[in-house]
Amino acid sequence: MEKLIHTLADHGDDVNCCAFSFSLLATCSLDKTIRLYSLRDFTELPYSPLKFHTYAVHCCCFSPSGHILASCSTDGTTVLWNTENGQMLAVMEQPSGSPVRVCQFSPDSTCLASGAADGTVVLWNAQSYKLYRCGSVKDGSLAACAFSPNGSFFVTGSSCGDLTVWDDKMRCLHSEKAHDLGITCCDFSSQPVSDGEQGLQFFRLASCGQDCQVKIWIVSFTHILARSTEHQLKQFTEDWSEEDVSTWLCAQDLKDLVGIFKMNNIDGKELLNLTKESLADDLKIESLGLRSKVLRKIEELRTKVKSLSSGIPDEFICPITRELMKDPVIASDGYSYEKEAMENWISKKKRTSPMTNLVLPSAVLTPNRTLKMAINRWLETHQK
């Protein structure tokens, strides 16, 4: 029969999170501290409370071994602590500076994910304490995160009710509206479920939200990856409906052409077959500049169709946009980025490296002509 065995009342404000290791209990609070207790008798450890954060601490979690504790805060940092002596191991700043709401270790302790109020999610190298990859969800702040038991992917939950599946390279594999209101927590069962016919392994994921519901999902990395690729190919092929084309036009800042395209019943297949002659003669688009812009956007679609079917080498992908680079530049951190994306990063964010999170020695961007030629050669090969 359940019974209360102990009550802890050391925090001076709301307690936001608690976490167990094999020998310790950790708690964190709006009072900016993290406290550690021994599971033997629930006495607070001599070096507790842990103090560094300047604002509320939202989440804390142990590495699988229990030797490291992570905490994240409104101050925009995720901090790693040595649980044996309470010493601070690293302070990792969210690149956007946004309040960090959730953090979670991968099952092998090599990575740590942190999710922020602005929807950014960062995958940190838990050994070097450096930024590995970053991404973001379209809407809402991140409030939940969980790794699959085998570590091949992880899931984030947002305040808009969306569940998003990411692989270990921070590629978004799948996203869907899971709850009508915000997601508050999600977690995987440690025991996989086997498919008797094909021998595939599935994982059970539970999500809960502010809609008063708990939902149980069956997730397979193989199926998600296949569905993601299929979905991406559908996005850039002749499967588009006329409505899909209209949505695409609006996204390309070509909404003034929606009426003309609808009048001519332009679907995905027709879109990909448009030429400068058909734009002028059939669709009666008089502006040469407008026709050129439409053709340029269509050519980008054709490129994406080919690249999705062949697989883009990872070194050709911009770490910020996760898209094929057109104008790669080398930043002072030694990494290559898409020029426009890196210029925006430097102008709008802290002057830190998107890859290492360290301060950039210089804002100078040098054209990476060697990489650009390699990308162009790859494109020529895959567009034949």
Side-chain angles (χ1 to χ4, degrees), residues 17-21 26-28 34 36 57-72 78-81 83 102-106 111-114 145 147:
C17 183
C18 58
F20 280 110
S21 73
T27 61
C28 62
I34 306 101
L36 287 169
V57 186
H58 293 288
C59 181
C60 60
C61 64
F62 287 99
S63 64
S65 68
H67 295 148
I68 300 175
L69 176 72
S71 61
C72 59
T78 302
V79 178
L80 298 183
W81 309 86
T83 58
V102 64
C103 56
Q104 187 67 47
F105 280 99
S106 63
C111 295
L112 176 77
S114 64
C145 179
F147 278 87

PDB file of all heavy atoms in Angstrom, residues 17-21 26-28 34 36 57-72 78-81 83 102-106 111-114 145 147:
ATOM      1  N   CYS A  17      10.833  20.602 -11.361  1.00  0.00           N
ATOM      2  CA  CYS A  17      11.209  19.300 -11.904  1.00  0.00           C
ATOM      3  C   CYS A  17      11.953  18.496 -10.842  1.00  0.00           C
ATOM      4  O   CYS A  17      12.589  19.066  -9.944  1.00  0.00           O
ATOM      5  CB  CYS A  17      12.093  19.488 -13.135  1.00  0.00           C
ATOM      6  SG  CYS A  17      12.571  17.963 -13.985  1.00  0.00           S
ATOM      7  N   CYS A  18      11.865  17.177 -10.943  1.00  0.00           N
ATOM      8  CA  CYS A  18      12.674  16.296 -10.101  1.00  0.00           C
ATOM      9  C   CYS A  18      13.138  15.118 -10.944  1.00  0.00           C
ATOM     10  O   CYS A  18      12.483  14.743 -11.921  1.00  0.00           O
ATOM     11  CB  CYS A  18      11.880  15.811  -8.889  1.00  0.00           C
ATOM     12  SG  CYS A  18      10.354  14.933  -9.279  1.00  0.00           S
ATOM     13  N   ALA A  19      14.290  14.564 -10.590  1.00  0.00           N
ATOM     14  CA  ALA A  19      14.858  13.467 -11.382  1.00  0.00           C
ATOM     15  C   ALA A  19      15.652  12.533 -10.481  1.00  0.00           C
ATOM     16  O   ALA A  19      16.314  12.980  -9.539  1.00  0.00           O
ATOM     17  CB  ALA A  19      15.754  14.029 -12.485  1.00  0.00           C
ATOM     18  N   PHE A  20      15.599  11.229 -10.786  1.00  0.00           N
ATOM     19  CA  PHE A  20      16.336  10.218 -10.035  1.00  0.00           C
ATOM     20  C   PHE A  20      17.562   9.746 -10.814  1.00  0.00           C
ATOM     21  O   PHE A  20      17.525   9.628 -12.041  1.00  0.00           O
ATOM     22  CB  PHE A  20      15.465   8.988  -9.778  1.00  0.00           C
ATOM     23  CG  PHE A  20      14.508   9.127  -8.634  1.00  0.00           C
ATOM     24  CD1 PHE A  20      13.135   9.217  -8.858  1.00  0.00           C
ATOM     25  CD2 PHE A  20      14.963   9.151  -7.319  1.00  0.00           C
ATOM     26  CE1 PHE A  20      12.241   9.325  -7.812  1.00  0.00           C
ATOM     27  CE2 PHE A  20      14.077   9.263  -6.255  1.00  0.00           C
ATOM     28  CZ  PHE A  20      12.712   9.354  -6.499  1.00  0.00           C
ATOM     29  N   SER A  21      18.627   9.463 -10.089  1.00  0.00           N
ATOM     30  CA  SER A  21      19.704   8.616 -10.603  1.00  0.00           C
ATOM     31  C   SER A  21      19.664   7.358  -9.739  1.00  0.00           C
ATOM     32  O   SER A  21      18.749   7.181  -8.929  1.00  0.00           O
ATOM     33  CB  SER A  21      21.065   9.313 -10.493  1.00  0.00           C
ATOM     34  OG  SER A  21      21.500   9.365  -9.140  1.00  0.00           O
ATOM     35  N   ALA A  26      17.397  14.701  -7.632  1.00  0.00           N
ATOM     36  CA  ALA A  26      17.662  16.109  -7.942  1.00  0.00           C
ATOM     37  C   ALA A  26      16.348  16.851  -8.087  1.00  0.00           C
ATOM     38  O   ALA A  26      15.365  16.300  -8.609  1.00  0.00           O
ATOM     39  CB  ALA A  26      18.476  16.228  -9.230  1.00  0.00           C
ATOM     40  N   THR A  27      16.321  18.086  -7.628  1.00  0.00           N
ATOM     41  CA  THR A  27      15.145  18.943  -7.773  1.00  0.00           C
ATOM     42  C   THR A  27      15.612  20.321  -8.237  1.00  0.00           C
ATOM     43  O   THR A  27      16.731  20.747  -7.945  1.00  0.00           O
ATOM     44  CB  THR A  27      14.383  19.087  -6.449  1.00  0.00           C
ATOM     45  OG1 THR A  27      15.246  19.695  -5.474  1.00  0.00           O
ATOM     46  CG2 THR A  27      13.914  17.730  -5.923  1.00  0.00           C
ATOM     47  N   CYS A  28      14.741  21.040  -8.964  1.00  0.00           N
ATOM     48  CA  CYS A  28      15.084  22.400  -9.382  1.00  0.00           C
ATOM     49  C   CYS A  28      13.856  23.286  -9.252  1.00  0.00           C
ATOM     50  O   CYS A  28      12.719  22.813  -9.283  1.00  0.00           O
ATOM     51  CB  CYS A  28      15.631  22.411 -10.809  1.00  0.00           C
ATOM     52  SG  CYS A  28      14.488  21.830 -12.075  1.00  0.00           S
ATOM     53  N   ILE A  34      19.383  24.244  -7.783  1.00  0.00           N
ATOM     54  CA  ILE A  34      19.188  22.802  -7.937  1.00  0.00           C
ATOM     55  C   ILE A  34      19.648  22.160  -6.628  1.00  0.00           C
ATOM     56  O   ILE A  34      20.708  22.509  -6.102  1.00  0.00           O
ATOM     57  CB  ILE A  34      20.026  22.223  -9.098  1.00  0.00           C
ATOM     58  CG1 ILE A  34      19.729  22.988 -10.396  1.00  0.00           C
ATOM     59  CG2 ILE A  34      19.753  20.735  -9.281  1.00  0.00           C
ATOM     60  CD1 ILE A  34      20.768  24.009 -10.750  1.00  0.00           C
ATOM     61  N   LEU A  36      20.332  18.483  -4.375  1.00  0.00           N
ATOM     62  CA  LEU A  36      20.619  17.052  -4.500  1.00  0.00           C
ATOM     63  C   LEU A  36      20.471  16.358  -3.150  1.00  0.00           C
ATOM     64  O   LEU A  36      20.958  16.868  -2.126  1.00  0.00           O
ATOM     65  CB  LEU A  36      22.035  16.842  -5.031  1.00  0.00           C
ATOM     66  CG  LEU A  36      22.259  17.162  -6.518  1.00  0.00           C
ATOM     67  CD1 LEU A  36      23.744  17.178  -6.837  1.00  0.00           C
ATOM     68  CD2 LEU A  36      21.545  16.148  -7.393  1.00  0.00           C
ATOM     69  N   VAL A  57      15.041  27.813 -12.757  1.00  0.00           N
ATOM     70  CA  VAL A  57      15.523  26.567 -13.360  1.00  0.00           C
ATOM     71  C   VAL A  57      14.299  25.718 -13.711  1.00  0.00           C
ATOM     72  O   VAL A  57      13.489  25.403 -12.838  1.00  0.00           O
ATOM     73  CB  VAL A  57      16.451  25.796 -12.398  1.00  0.00           C
ATOM     74  CG1 VAL A  57      17.048  24.589 -13.114  1.00  0.00           C
ATOM     75  CG2 VAL A  57      17.557  26.705 -11.877  1.00  0.00           C
ATOM     76  N   HIS A  58      14.167  25.362 -14.983  1.00  0.00           N
ATOM     77  CA  HIS A  58      12.945  24.703 -15.459  1.00  0.00           C
ATOM     78  C   HIS A  58      13.024  23.189 -15.457  1.00  0.00           C
ATOM     79  O   HIS A  58      12.014  22.507 -15.282  1.00  0.00           O
ATOM     80  CB  HIS A  58      12.612  25.176 -16.872  1.00  0.00           C
ATOM     81  CG  HIS A  58      12.226  26.609 -16.955  1.00  0.00           C
ATOM     82  ND1 HIS A  58      11.020  27.083 -16.494  1.00  0.00           N
ATOM     83  CD2 HIS A  58      12.915  27.682 -17.401  1.00  0.00           C
ATOM     84  CE1 HIS A  58      10.967  28.389 -16.683  1.00  0.00           C
ATOM     85  NE2 HIS A  58      12.096  28.788 -17.222  1.00  0.00           N
ATOM     86  N   CYS A  59      14.223  22.660 -15.690  1.00  0.00           N
ATOM     87  CA  CYS A  59      14.337  21.208 -15.863  1.00  0.00           C
ATOM     88  C   CYS A  59      15.704  20.741 -15.403  1.00  0.00           C
ATOM     89  O   CYS A  59      16.691  21.481 -15.475  1.00  0.00           O
ATOM     90  CB  CYS A  59      14.125  20.852 -17.351  1.00  0.00           C
ATOM     91  SG  CYS A  59      14.216  19.094 -17.737  1.00  0.00           S
ATOM     92  N   CYS A  60      15.764  19.520 -14.897  1.00  0.00           N
ATOM     93  CA  CYS A  60      17.041  18.895 -14.567  1.00  0.00           C
ATOM     94  C   CYS A  60      16.958  17.416 -14.919  1.00  0.00           C
ATOM     95  O   CYS A  60      15.872  16.815 -14.865  1.00  0.00           O
ATOM     96  CB  CYS A  60      17.403  19.094 -13.096  1.00  0.00           C
ATOM     97  SG  CYS A  60      16.223  18.401 -11.917  1.00  0.00           S
ATOM     98  N   CYS A  61      18.086  16.831 -15.299  1.00  0.00           N
ATOM     99  CA  CYS A  61      18.091  15.412 -15.657  1.00  0.00           C
ATOM    100  C   CYS A  61      19.493  14.849 -15.466  1.00  0.00           C
ATOM    101  O   CYS A  61      20.490  15.564 -15.604  1.00  0.00           O
ATOM    102  CB  CYS A  61      17.631  15.202 -17.103  1.00  0.00           C
ATOM    103  SG  CYS A  61      18.715  15.941 -18.350  1.00  0.00           S
ATOM    104  N   PHE A  62      19.567  13.571 -15.115  1.00  0.00           N
ATOM    105  CA  PHE A  62      20.845  12.869 -14.940  1.00  0.00           C
ATOM    106  C   PHE A  62      21.249  12.192 -16.243  1.00  0.00           C
ATOM    107  O   PHE A  62      20.393  11.744 -17.030  1.00  0.00           O
ATOM    108  CB  PHE A  62      20.732  11.801 -13.855  1.00  0.00           C
ATOM    109  CG  PHE A  62      20.668  12.333 -12.453  1.00  0.00           C
ATOM    110  CD1 PHE A  62      19.449  12.467 -11.802  1.00  0.00           C
ATOM    111  CD2 PHE A  62      21.832  12.691 -11.775  1.00  0.00           C
ATOM    112  CE1 PHE A  62      19.383  12.950 -10.505  1.00  0.00           C
ATOM    113  CE2 PHE A  62      21.786  13.170 -10.475  1.00  0.00           C
ATOM    114  CZ  PHE A  62      20.556  13.304  -9.834  1.00  0.00           C
ATOM    115  N   SER A  63      22.558  12.082 -16.467  1.00  0.00           N
ATOM    116  CA  SER A  63      23.043  11.221 -17.534  1.00  0.00           C
ATOM    117  C   SER A  63      22.740   9.782 -17.134  1.00  0.00           C
ATOM    118  O   SER A  63      22.545   9.491 -15.942  1.00  0.00           O
ATOM    119  CB  SER A  63      24.553  11.408 -17.725  1.00  0.00           C
ATOM    120  OG  SER A  63      25.256  11.001 -16.555  1.00  0.00           O
ATOM    121  N   PRO A  64      22.663   8.852 -18.086  1.00  0.00           N
ATOM    122  CA  PRO A  64      22.341   7.464 -17.745  1.00  0.00           C
ATOM    123  C   PRO A  64      23.241   6.863 -16.663  1.00  0.00           C
ATOM    124  O   PRO A  64      22.791   6.047 -15.854  1.00  0.00           O
ATOM    125  CB  PRO A  64      22.506   6.736 -19.079  1.00  0.00           C
ATOM    126  CG  PRO A  64      22.136   7.768 -20.088  1.00  0.00           C
ATOM    127  CD  PRO A  64      22.696   9.051 -19.547  1.00  0.00           C
ATOM    128  N   SER A  65      24.504   7.266 -16.616  1.00  0.00           N
ATOM    129  CA  SER A  65      25.411   6.743 -15.587  1.00  0.00           C
ATOM    130  C   SER A  65      25.182   7.388 -14.227  1.00  0.00           C
ATOM    131  O   SER A  65      25.615   6.862 -13.203  1.00  0.00           O
ATOM    132  CB  SER A  65      26.866   6.979 -16.007  1.00  0.00           C
ATOM    133  OG  SER A  65      27.164   8.372 -16.002  1.00  0.00           O
ATOM    134  N   GLY A  66      24.524   8.546 -14.234  1.00  0.00           N
ATOM    135  CA  GLY A  66      24.285   9.268 -12.994  1.00  0.00           C
ATOM    136  C   GLY A  66      25.426  10.156 -12.550  1.00  0.00           C
ATOM    137  O   GLY A  66      25.326  10.834 -11.529  1.00  0.00           O
ATOM    138  N   HIS A  67      26.501  10.202 -13.321  1.00  0.00           N
ATOM    139  CA  HIS A  67      27.681  10.970 -12.913  1.00  0.00           C
ATOM    140  C   HIS A  67      27.574  12.446 -13.273  1.00  0.00           C
ATOM    141  O   HIS A  67      28.311  13.272 -12.744  1.00  0.00           O
ATOM    142  CB  HIS A  67      28.941  10.383 -13.555  1.00  0.00           C
ATOM    143  CG  HIS A  67      29.243   9.002 -13.082  1.00  0.00           C
ATOM    144  ND1 HIS A  67      29.850   8.041 -13.891  1.00  0.00           N
ATOM    145  CD2 HIS A  67      29.018   8.384 -11.893  1.00  0.00           C
ATOM    146  CE1 HIS A  67      29.980   6.916 -13.206  1.00  0.00           C
ATOM    147  NE2 HIS A  67      29.486   7.103 -12.000  1.00  0.00           N
ATOM    148  N   ILE A  68      26.672  12.782 -14.188  1.00  0.00           N
ATOM    149  CA  ILE A  68      26.500  14.166 -14.621  1.00  0.00           C
ATOM    150  C   ILE A  68      25.037  14.558 -14.488  1.00  0.00           C
ATOM    151  O   ILE A  68      24.136  13.763 -14.782  1.00  0.00           O
ATOM    152  CB  ILE A  68      26.966  14.356 -16.085  1.00  0.00           C
ATOM    153  CG1 ILE A  68      28.447  13.994 -16.229  1.00  0.00           C
ATOM    154  CG2 ILE A  68      26.741  15.791 -16.548  1.00  0.00           C
ATOM    155  CD1 ILE A  68      28.943  14.044 -17.665  1.00  0.00           C
ATOM    156  N   LEU A  69      24.817  15.780 -14.035  1.00  0.00           N
ATOM    157  CA  LEU A  69      23.477  16.338 -13.941  1.00  0.00           C
ATOM    158  C   LEU A  69      23.406  17.551 -14.850  1.00  0.00           C
ATOM    159  O   LEU A  69      24.321  18.376 -14.870  1.00  0.00           O
ATOM    160  CB  LEU A  69      23.163  16.759 -12.503  1.00  0.00           C
ATOM    161  CG  LEU A  69      21.816  17.457 -12.275  1.00  0.00           C
ATOM    162  CD1 LEU A  69      20.668  16.462 -12.409  1.00  0.00           C
ATOM    163  CD2 LEU A  69      21.779  18.149 -10.912  1.00  0.00           C
ATOM    164  N   ALA A  70      22.340  17.654 -15.617  1.00  0.00           N
ATOM    165  CA  ALA A  70      22.116  18.831 -16.463  1.00  0.00           C
ATOM    166  C   ALA A  70      20.956  19.638 -15.908  1.00  0.00           C
ATOM    167  O   ALA A  70      19.980  19.077 -15.405  1.00  0.00           O
ATOM    168  CB  ALA A  70      21.818  18.399 -17.902  1.00  0.00           C
ATOM    169  N   SER A  71      21.078  20.963 -15.997  1.00  0.00           N
ATOM    170  CA  SER A  71      19.991  21.849 -15.591  1.00  0.00           C
ATOM    171  C   SER A  71      19.852  22.949 -16.628  1.00  0.00           C
ATOM    172  O   SER A  71      20.835  23.357 -17.253  1.00  0.00           O
ATOM    173  CB  SER A  71      20.269  22.460 -14.211  1.00  0.00           C
ATOM    174  OG  SER A  71      21.455  23.239 -14.223  1.00  0.00           O
ATOM    175  N   CYS A  72      18.635  23.436 -16.853  1.00  0.00           N
ATOM    176  CA  CYS A  72      18.425  24.499 -17.829  1.00  0.00           C
ATOM    177  C   CYS A  72      17.497  25.553 -17.261  1.00  0.00           C
ATOM    178  O   CYS A  72      16.659  25.276 -16.390  1.00  0.00           O
ATOM    179  CB  CYS A  72      17.892  23.942 -19.145  1.00  0.00           C
ATOM    180  SG  CYS A  72      16.327  23.049 -19.013  1.00  0.00           S
ATOM    181  N   THR A  78      22.221  26.001 -20.392  1.00  0.00           N
ATOM    182  CA  THR A  78      22.133  24.625 -19.896  1.00  0.00           C
ATOM    183  C   THR A  78      23.467  24.340 -19.227  1.00  0.00           C
ATOM    184  O   THR A  78      24.524  24.538 -19.832  1.00  0.00           O
ATOM    185  CB  THR A  78      21.889  23.637 -21.039  1.00  0.00           C
ATOM    186  OG1 THR A  78      20.680  23.982 -21.724  1.00  0.00           O
ATOM    187  CG2 THR A  78      21.769  22.215 -20.504  1.00  0.00           C
ATOM    188  N   VAL A  79      23.435  23.903 -17.973  1.00  0.00           N
ATOM    189  CA  VAL A  79      24.654  23.709 -17.192  1.00  0.00           C
ATOM    190  C   VAL A  79      24.828  22.231 -16.873  1.00  0.00           C
ATOM    191  O   VAL A  79      23.865  21.532 -16.542  1.00  0.00           O
ATOM    192  CB  VAL A  79      24.603  24.530 -15.881  1.00  0.00           C
ATOM    193  CG1 VAL A  79      25.850  24.280 -15.036  1.00  0.00           C
ATOM    194  CG2 VAL A  79      24.483  26.014 -16.200  1.00  0.00           C
ATOM    195  N   LEU A  80      26.066  21.741 -16.977  1.00  0.00           N
ATOM    196  CA  LEU A  80      26.402  20.373 -16.598  1.00  0.00           C
ATOM    197  C   LEU A  80      27.169  20.396 -15.283  1.00  0.00           C
ATOM    198  O   LEU A  80      28.087  21.204 -15.097  1.00  0.00           O
ATOM    199  CB  LEU A  80      27.246  19.703 -17.681  1.00  0.00           C
ATOM    200  CG  LEU A  80      26.589  19.540 -19.058  1.00  0.00           C
ATOM    201  CD1 LEU A  80      27.521  18.792 -20.004  1.00  0.00           C
ATOM    202  CD2 LEU A  80      25.255  18.832 -18.961  1.00  0.00           C
ATOM    203  N   TRP A  81      26.771  19.493 -14.363  1.00  0.00           N
ATOM    204  CA  TRP A  81      27.363  19.424 -13.027  1.00  0.00           C
ATOM    205  C   TRP A  81      27.926  18.031 -12.766  1.00  0.00           C
ATOM    206  O   TRP A  81      27.351  17.027 -13.199  1.00  0.00           O
ATOM    207  CB  TRP A  81      26.305  19.710 -11.955  1.00  0.00           C
ATOM    208  CG  TRP A  81      25.508  20.955 -12.148  1.00  0.00           C
ATOM    209  CD1 TRP A  81      24.371  21.103 -12.895  1.00  0.00           C
ATOM    210  CD2 TRP A  81      25.765  22.240 -11.569  1.00  0.00           C
ATOM    211  NE1 TRP A  81      23.907  22.390 -12.816  1.00  0.00           N
ATOM    212  CE2 TRP A  81      24.739  23.117 -12.007  1.00  0.00           C
ATOM    213  CE3 TRP A  81      26.758  22.742 -10.720  1.00  0.00           C
ATOM    214  CZ2 TRP A  81      24.677  24.453 -11.627  1.00  0.00           C
ATOM    215  CZ3 TRP A  81      26.700  24.072 -10.338  1.00  0.00           C
ATOM    216  CH2 TRP A  81      25.673  24.918 -10.794  1.00  0.00           C
ATOM    217  N   THR A  83      28.143  15.196 -10.325  1.00  0.00           N
ATOM    218  CA  THR A  83      27.309  14.832  -9.183  1.00  0.00           C
ATOM    219  C   THR A  83      28.114  14.307  -7.989  1.00  0.00           C
ATOM    220  O   THR A  83      27.571  14.148  -6.897  1.00  0.00           O
ATOM    221  CB  THR A  83      26.269  13.764  -9.581  1.00  0.00           C
ATOM    222  OG1 THR A  83      26.947  12.612 -10.088  1.00  0.00           O
ATOM    223  CG2 THR A  83      25.324  14.304 -10.646  1.00  0.00           C
ATOM    224  N   VAL A 102      13.658  22.730 -21.493  1.00  0.00           N
ATOM    225  CA  VAL A 102      13.780  21.287 -21.301  1.00  0.00           C
ATOM    226  C   VAL A 102      15.155  20.827 -21.757  1.00  0.00           C
ATOM    227  O   VAL A 102      15.747  21.400 -22.673  1.00  0.00           O
ATOM    228  CB  VAL A 102      12.666  20.539 -22.083  1.00  0.00           C
ATOM    229  CG1 VAL A 102      12.814  20.759 -23.578  1.00  0.00           C
ATOM    230  CG2 VAL A 102      12.626  19.065 -21.749  1.00  0.00           C
ATOM    231  N   CYS A 103      15.692  19.805 -21.084  1.00  0.00           N
ATOM    232  CA  CYS A 103      16.968  19.207 -21.500  1.00  0.00           C
ATOM    233  C   CYS A 103      16.887  17.702 -21.266  1.00  0.00           C
ATOM    234  O   CYS A 103      16.169  17.238 -20.367  1.00  0.00           O
ATOM    235  CB  CYS A 103      18.152  19.820 -20.747  1.00  0.00           C
ATOM    236  SG  CYS A 103      18.051  19.731 -18.937  1.00  0.00           S
ATOM    237  N   GLN A 104      17.626  16.942 -22.068  1.00  0.00           N
ATOM    238  CA  GLN A 104      17.554  15.488 -21.978  1.00  0.00           C
ATOM    239  C   GLN A 104      18.807  14.854 -22.557  1.00  0.00           C
ATOM    240  O   GLN A 104      19.267  15.242 -23.635  1.00  0.00           O
ATOM    241  CB  GLN A 104      16.328  14.973 -22.741  1.00  0.00           C
ATOM    242  CG  GLN A 104      16.055  13.484 -22.578  1.00  0.00           C
ATOM    243  CD  GLN A 104      15.649  13.134 -21.163  1.00  0.00           C
ATOM    244  OE1 GLN A 104      14.808  13.783 -20.578  1.00  0.00           O
ATOM    245  NE2 GLN A 104      16.239  12.102 -20.607  1.00  0.00           N
ATOM    246  N   PHE A 105      19.377  13.875 -21.847  1.00  0.00           N
ATOM    247  CA  PHE A 105      20.544  13.139 -22.337  1.00  0.00           C
ATOM    248  C   PHE A 105      20.124  12.022 -23.287  1.00  0.00           C
ATOM    249  O   PHE A 105      19.042  11.434 -23.133  1.00  0.00           O
ATOM    250  CB  PHE A 105      21.316  12.510 -21.169  1.00  0.00           C
ATOM    251  CG  PHE A 105      22.213  13.447 -20.429  1.00  0.00           C
ATOM    252  CD1 PHE A 105      21.797  14.027 -19.233  1.00  0.00           C
ATOM    253  CD2 PHE A 105      23.482  13.758 -20.907  1.00  0.00           C
ATOM    254  CE1 PHE A 105      22.614  14.889 -18.531  1.00  0.00           C
ATOM    255  CE2 PHE A 105      24.316  14.612 -20.216  1.00  0.00           C
ATOM    256  CZ  PHE A 105      23.887  15.190 -19.015  1.00  0.00           C
ATOM    257  N   SER A 106      21.009  11.700 -24.231  1.00  0.00           N
ATOM    258  CA  SER A 106      20.808  10.523 -25.061  1.00  0.00           C
ATOM    259  C   SER A 106      21.135   9.283 -24.233  1.00  0.00           C
ATOM    260  O   SER A 106      21.841   9.366 -23.224  1.00  0.00           O
ATOM    261  CB  SER A 106      21.713  10.580 -26.304  1.00  0.00           C
ATOM    262  OG  SER A 106      23.077  10.561 -25.917  1.00  0.00           O
ATOM    263  N   CYS A 111      25.262  12.721 -26.144  1.00  0.00           N
ATOM    264  CA  CYS A 111      24.592  13.953 -26.568  1.00  0.00           C
ATOM    265  C   CYS A 111      23.613  14.438 -25.513  1.00  0.00           C
ATOM    266  O   CYS A 111      23.113  13.666 -24.694  1.00  0.00           O
ATOM    267  CB  CYS A 111      23.837  13.741 -27.879  1.00  0.00           C
ATOM    268  SG  CYS A 111      24.895  13.386 -29.295  1.00  0.00           S
ATOM    269  N   LEU A 112      23.350  15.730 -25.562  1.00  0.00           N
ATOM    270  CA  LEU A 112      22.342  16.350 -24.707  1.00  0.00           C
ATOM    271  C   LEU A 112      21.504  17.271 -25.584  1.00  0.00           C
ATOM    272  O   LEU A 112      22.049  18.091 -26.324  1.00  0.00           O
ATOM    273  CB  LEU A 112      22.985  17.150 -23.578  1.00  0.00           C
ATOM    274  CG  LEU A 112      22.014  17.926 -22.680  1.00  0.00           C
ATOM    275  CD1 LEU A 112      21.327  16.979 -21.694  1.00  0.00           C
ATOM    276  CD2 LEU A 112      22.735  19.032 -21.920  1.00  0.00           C
ATOM    277  N   ALA A 113      20.199  17.127 -25.518  1.00  0.00           N
ATOM    278  CA  ALA A 113      19.306  18.005 -26.273  1.00  0.00           C
ATOM    279  C   ALA A 113      18.753  19.072 -25.342  1.00  0.00           C
ATOM    280  O   ALA A 113      18.410  18.789 -24.191  1.00  0.00           O
ATOM    281  CB  ALA A 113      18.157  17.206 -26.887  1.00  0.00           C
ATOM    282  N   SER A 114      18.670  20.305 -25.831  1.00  0.00           N
ATOM    283  CA  SER A 114      18.061  21.393 -25.064  1.00  0.00           C
ATOM    284  C   SER A 114      17.049  22.110 -25.943  1.00  0.00           C
ATOM    285  O   SER A 114      17.333  22.436 -27.091  1.00  0.00           O
ATOM    286  CB  SER A 114      19.124  22.374 -24.558  1.00  0.00           C
ATOM    287  OG  SER A 114      19.774  23.028 -25.631  1.00  0.00           O
ATOM    288  N   CYS A 145      10.890  16.674 -24.253  1.00  0.00           N
ATOM    289  CA  CYS A 145      11.894  16.033 -25.097  1.00  0.00           C
ATOM    290  C   CYS A 145      12.147  14.621 -24.582  1.00  0.00           C
ATOM    291  O   CYS A 145      12.193  14.397 -23.371  1.00  0.00           O
ATOM    292  CB  CYS A 145      13.191  16.835 -25.089  1.00  0.00           C
ATOM    293  SG  CYS A 145      14.529  16.114 -26.072  1.00  0.00           S
ATOM    294  N   PHE A 147      14.426  10.843 -25.848  1.00  0.00           N
ATOM    295  CA  PHE A 147      15.190  10.039 -26.799  1.00  0.00           C
ATOM    296  C   PHE A 147      14.592   8.638 -26.876  1.00  0.00           C
ATOM    297  O   PHE A 147      14.125   8.091 -25.876  1.00  0.00           O
ATOM    298  CB  PHE A 147      16.655   9.928 -26.362  1.00  0.00           C
ATOM    299  CG  PHE A 147      17.504  11.095 -26.740  1.00  0.00           C
ATOM    300  CD1 PHE A 147      17.600  12.202 -25.915  1.00  0.00           C
ATOM    301  CD2 PHE A 147      18.216  11.095 -27.938  1.00  0.00           C
ATOM    302  CE1 PHE A 147      18.388  13.287 -26.255  1.00  0.00           C
ATOM    303  CE2 PHE A 147      19.012  12.170 -28.289  1.00  0.00           C
ATOM    304  CZ  PHE A 147      19.104  13.274 -27.448  1.00  0.00           C
TER     305      PHE A 147
END
